Amino acid sequence: MEEQNRQKPKIQPLRPPRTPPEPEAPKPRRKLPRFLVRAAATLVVLAAALCLVAVVAFRDSLNMDSVKRWFTYRSLIRSDSGRADSFPYGGDLTDTFAVLDGDLLVCSRNAISLYSGSGTQYINESVGMENPVVTTNGSLAAVYDAGGSSLYVLGQRTLVWSADDLESILSARLNKNGQLTVVTQSSGYRGSVTVYDAAYSPVMRVDLTSAFVMDAALSDDGHTLAILTVGQSGGAFATTLELYDMSYASGQYAPDLTCQLGGGVVLETRHTASAVWALGDRGLTVTAHDGRSSGVSWADKHLRRYTLSGDGFAAVLLGKYRAGSQSELWVVDEQGERRTLEINEQVLSISASGRYVAVLTGDRLDIYTDQLELYDTLDGTQGARTALLMPDGSAILISADSAGFYIP
């Protein structure tokens, strides 16, 4: 009975599943009128054409360098002409000047100073040098006392390394990797060349007895050492280029390649990853590591000013006579091809950096591209006696007691 009295579970009838509503058909998009489509297309074409015309017309001023200048000097207060306020550099025109990573480096017999574009002094190192000389690789600078024993390496707005016990220094050069090559006079030899790594530990030394060493430079990739010597050949002085492979571990080094460069006096040397540039009083020679060479001669002209600081070119100022205002500016590339510009004014200074060349006259600064096309002009530079270019086309103008930055 109890089992019969138990309630039987109620069974709910199954409901058929609800059918989801059918999605509504998408409404057709409303098409723009044809005349609006045509007008928009015409505007796009016109905008592209105007951009193309602007790029062609202002290709020298609207480039990556102008963008770099904007970011680098956006905090620098400038006049409408692009000149910033000048600042005293605590020296005079007998000092040695250079650009170090966008700052002004000033070297005198008593001090090494570094100034920013606004005149802030970051380095003020007391020194004692008779003949200060500066060489840079852009981000680092080597300052040495020619004929003395002191050498300083600067970078990142600080003194990186120094030595005051070297033998009589003839030259010191930094490659792009920060490796240092120093030429010294050494007892018992006609010159010694020491190569230092980026931590300034010596890794190679070459002592020469057959000829006097004039200069030496390590290639930018650090694989080849170039040594320039001067000796006698046939009763006349001759310059010789010797190339050494840096892969040798140690021992008595012998040149892998020897080239004769003629009888001129080498005044400036530059060693890229593939070639040695030797600029002398009679001409320019560019010698590749396989011995092939090119160059240009100016033996019939007087060399007034020169620089090897351009990107892939040399710039020299030549005159038919030793004095006078008439001169020619030559820009010579690695293949020995030259471009020339007649100048009928007294030139006070020339400078090169990146793809630019600067010519400073008595009242004007002209900045050219490496094709000798006029890039920018600054009038009213009276008082400026030296111009230093930076890779982005900016310049530093230096007068007797002050310096100022100019940004095109």
Side-chain angles (χ1 to χ4, degrees):
M1 293 292 291
E2 292 180 359
E3 292 182 0
Q4 292 179 356
N5 292 332
R6 287 179 184 173
Q7 294 182 355
K8 295 182 180 181
K10 295 181 179 180
I11 299 176
Q12 299 291 337
L14 294 176
R15 295 181 180 179
R18 298 179 64 182
T19 304
E22 294 184 3
E24 296 181 0
K27 296 180 180 180
R29 290 185 179 181
R30 188 176 180 182
K31 294 183 178 180
L32 291 174
R34 288 187 177 180
F35 76 93
L36 289 179
V37 176
R38 292 175 180 175
T42 304
L43 289 175
V44 171
V45 172
L46 286 175
L50 289 174
C51 290
L52 181 61
V53 171
V55 169
V56 173
F58 303 102
R59 61 186 180 275
D60 286 331
S61 57
L62 297 176
N63 52 26
M64 287 303 298
D65 290 330
S66 61
V67 176
K68 292 177 183 177
R69 291 194 296 266
W70 187 88
F71 280 102
T72 303
Y73 305 106
R74 64 184 183 276
S75 62
L76 196 63
I77 300 175
R78 294 168 281 167
S79 65
D80 292 339
S81 66
R83 299 186 70 171
D85 291 337
S86 59
F87 56 87
Y89 57 82
D92 54 46
L93 291 174
T94 61
D95 296 339
T96 303
F97 306 93
V99 174
L100 177 56
D101 202 15
D103 296 325
L104 173 62
L105 181 63
V106 183
C107 302
S108 67
R109 293 183 176 185
N110 303 317
I112 299 174
S113 303
L114 186 71
Y115 298 90
S116 70
S118 60
T120 302
Q121 188 174 26
Y122 290 103
I123 296 176
N124 185 19
E125 184 76 18
S126 296
V127 297
M129 296 186 291
E130 290 295 324
N131 302 292
V133 180
V134 180
T135 60
T136 72
N137 68 356
S139 59
L140 294 170
V143 182
Y144 64 94
D145 186 14
S149 59
S150 300
L151 189 149
Y152 307 86
V153 177
L154 302 99
Q156 300 295 318
R157 292 178 170 174
T158 187
L159 178 64
V160 177
W161 180 77
S162 65
D164 57 6
D165 57 351
L166 300 177
E167 298 175 283
S168 181
I169 304 173
L170 299 180
S171 75
R173 298 190 181 278
L174 290 155
N175 71 352
K176 291 295 184 182
N177 294 331
Q179 297 164 290
L180 178 67
T181 305
V182 182
V183 179
T184 58
Q185 290 181 333
S186 182
S187 178
Y189 301 99
R190 294 191 173 183
S192 297
V193 180
T194 305
V195 179
Y196 298 80
D197 60 20
Y200 308 107
S201 298
V203 295
M204 178 181 182
R205 179 181 172 114
V206 180
D207 298 311
L208 288 93
T209 58
S210 59
F212 292 98
V213 181
M214 299 174 63
D215 204 351
L218 187 65
S219 60
D220 282 338
D221 59 9
H223 295 164
T224 308
L225 174 65
I227 298 179
L228 292 164
T229 64
V230 60
Q232 284 193 340
S233 177
F237 284 100
T239 301
T240 302
L241 170 64
E242 298 180 352
L243 298 179
Y244 295 78
D245 191 340
M246 290 293 295
S247 63
Y248 293 124
S250 62
Q252 298 295 321
Y253 297 100
D256 297 276
L257 183 68
T258 302
C259 301
Q260 298 299 323
L261 301 184
V265 177
V266 176
L267 304 172
E268 185 68 29
T269 306
R270 181 179 179 184
H271 197 173
T272 65
S274 60
V276 179
W277 297 59
L279 191 153
D281 59 340
R282 298 184 182 181
L284 171 72
T285 302
V286 182
T287 306
H289 289 167
D290 59 5
R292 293 178 298 174
S293 65
S294 60
V296 63
S297 172
W298 48 71
D300 58 339
K301 299 181 182 296
H302 294 278
L303 179 63
R304 295 180 178 176
R305 302 183 186 276
Y306 58 88
T307 176
L308 279 178
S309 298
D311 187 4
F313 66 91
V316 295
L317 186 71
L318 304 168
K320 185 176 181 180
Y321 306 102
R322 188 176 299 275
S325 59
Q326 292 185 340
S327 58
E328 289 183 352
L329 178 65
W330 287 16
V331 169
V332 186
D333 63 18
E334 190 170 357
Q335 288 73 40
E337 299 293 331
R338 72 179 187 185
R339 292 167 291 281
T340 63
L341 177 68
E342 296 284 344
I343 299 178
N344 296 317
E345 299 176 77
Q346 188 70 36
V347 176
L348 304 177
S349 173
I350 69 169
S351 179
S353 185
R355 66 184 191 99
Y356 303 100
V357 184
V359 178
L360 178 66
T361 58
D363 62 350
R364 191 177 71 254
L365 174 69
D366 290 326
I367 301 177
Y368 299 90
T369 67
D370 55 2
Q371 302 299 314
L372 287 182
E373 298 172 348
L374 185 62
Y375 178 75
D376 193 79
T377 295
L378 174 65
D379 295 316
T381 59
Q382 292 88 346
R385 292 295 177 265
T386 300
L388 299 176
L389 264 184
M390 288 172 277
D392 62 7
S394 303
I396 305 175
L397 296 174
I398 302 170
S399 63
D401 56 1
S402 63
F405 280 58
Y406 168 64
I407 296 90

